[in-house]
Amino acid sequence: ARARRADGPAPRAAADRPGSAVAGMFGSRSGPPRPAGLRYGDVPPNQTLYVCDLNEKIKIPELKCCLFELFSAYGEVIDIVAEKGLKKKGQAFICFRDISCATNALRALQSFNFLDKPMRIQYAKTKSDVIALEDGTFKPRKVKEELKKEPEKVKQPPGGKGQKGAPPAGGKGAPRYPQAGAPPAPPAPGEQPSNVLFVENLPAEVNEMMLTMLFRQYPGFQEARLIKGRNVAFIEYADELQAGIAKHGLQGFMVTPEMALKIAFAKQ
């Protein structure tokens, strides 16, 4: 009797196909097989992937650029976090717009030989800051630690400081994103309308990606420019009317439970 023929080799991932731009730039799946103990179900699916065993000799800006080029082939990447600290070398967090894109990237790139080292990938255990900022649950890690160490100071803030520590309107858990169609308020006396907004009272943890996620929900958004070390930013819109709508909608927005945005038209 003739031996049965196999159905043929299994289809290869895009990064393994001959001529693939990704494979040509970064390598191929020539690393060791996937570890037997690594299971996708160990951590619930997340929009953010945790990547480790990265080449520590690559500079952070170059590493982030290469990671973006590689992972963006599987969906929209909205943030990449990689740091050069002693305990954070060789690691990165890749945040996708959709969980399905993150899952596809995890499956396709597990053990992929990236910059001469096979990667290990799993779902991140916590929500990315940029996603938390977008859905209104962002809380800086330092603030969380202070709340645990000094609960009395948080529960009993000193008087005379207004509503600095007040929760957002609508009670706990209420959406902190206002309606994008809200009418713009008239400019304050002596304030000249502008298509550029000046934003103050930003926490140190906020970056340009987070500001972009927050302000681009309003029509006409052009650019967010963060001034490092000063906790301020400039947000540019297409015209004065659109800037006014965003200013009215996000004025007093609680970036953290204790910090509200202060927005004004930038001086010409």
Side-chain angles (χ1 to χ4, degrees), residues 34-259:
R34 179 181 303 162
L38 184 62
R39 296 174 299 174
Y40 301 135
D42 290 345
V43 180
N46 195 329
Q47 290 168 259
T48 303
L49 299 178
Y50 170 67
V51 184
C52 61
D53 287 353
L54 296 173
N55 194 327
E56 299 180 7
K57 297 180 180 179
I58 307 299
K59 293 183 179 180
I60 296 299
E62 181 181 352
L63 176 64
K64 293 175 71 174
C65 181
C66 293
L67 286 170
F68 179 83
E69 292 293 335
L70 179 63
F71 281 86
S72 60
Y74 299 90
E76 182 183 357
V77 175
I78 60 176
D79 194 20
I80 294 179
V81 177
E83 301 178 15
K84 59 181 179 180
L86 183 62
K87 295 183 179 180
K88 299 180 180 181
K89 285 184 177 181
Q91 307 172 58
F93 291 89
I94 316 295
C95 182
F96 282 89
R97 171 69 63 187
D98 300 312
I99 292 180
S100 60
C101 296
T103 299
N104 291 338
L106 186 151
R107 292 173 177 173
L109 296 176
Q110 188 68 262
S111 299
F112 180 79
N113 195 9
F114 177 73
L115 299 175
D116 299 326
K117 290 193 68 176
M119 295 187 297
R120 291 181 57 196
I121 310 174
Q122 67 180 43
Y123 293 113
K125 295 181 180 180
T126 58
K127 185 184 298 183
S128 175
D129 286 348
V130 68
I131 297 298
L133 182 64
E134 188 177 31
D135 63 19
T137 60
F138 174 70
K139 292 182 180 180
R141 293 172 178 79
K142 293 182 180 179
V143 173
K144 289 182 179 180
E145 294 175 0
E146 291 174 3
L147 290 174
K148 292 179 181 179
K149 294 179 181 179
E150 302 176 347
E152 296 181 0
K153 292 184 179 180
V154 177
K155 292 180 181 179
Q156 300 176 358
K161 292 189 178 181
Q163 298 179 349
K164 183 177 180 181
K172 183 177 180 181
R176 291 188 288 177
Y177 280 88
Q179 295 296 325
E191 185 181 29
Q192 294 294 329
S194 171
N195 68 314
V196 180
L197 301 177
F198 179 64
V199 184
E200 300 179 271
N201 206 31
L202 295 170
E205 294 81 5
V206 169
N207 55 36
E208 288 185 352
M209 180 66 73
M210 295 179 181
L211 289 172
T212 297
M213 296 294 296
L214 179 62
F215 282 89
R216 76 176 182 182
Q217 64 179 318
Y218 291 93
F221 173 82
Q222 300 290 313
E223 183 185 12
R225 301 189 299 274
L226 179 66
I227 309 301
K228 296 182 179 180
R230 294 183 55 189
N231 297 335
V232 299
F234 292 93
I235 312 297
E236 183 177 351
Y237 283 86
D239 56 42
E240 297 175 357
L241 177 61
Q242 292 171 330
I245 293 174
K247 173 179 177 290
H248 173 71
L250 291 174
Q251 188 70 263
F253 176 81
M254 301 298 295
V255 186
T256 74
E258 297 183 350
M259 297 187 73

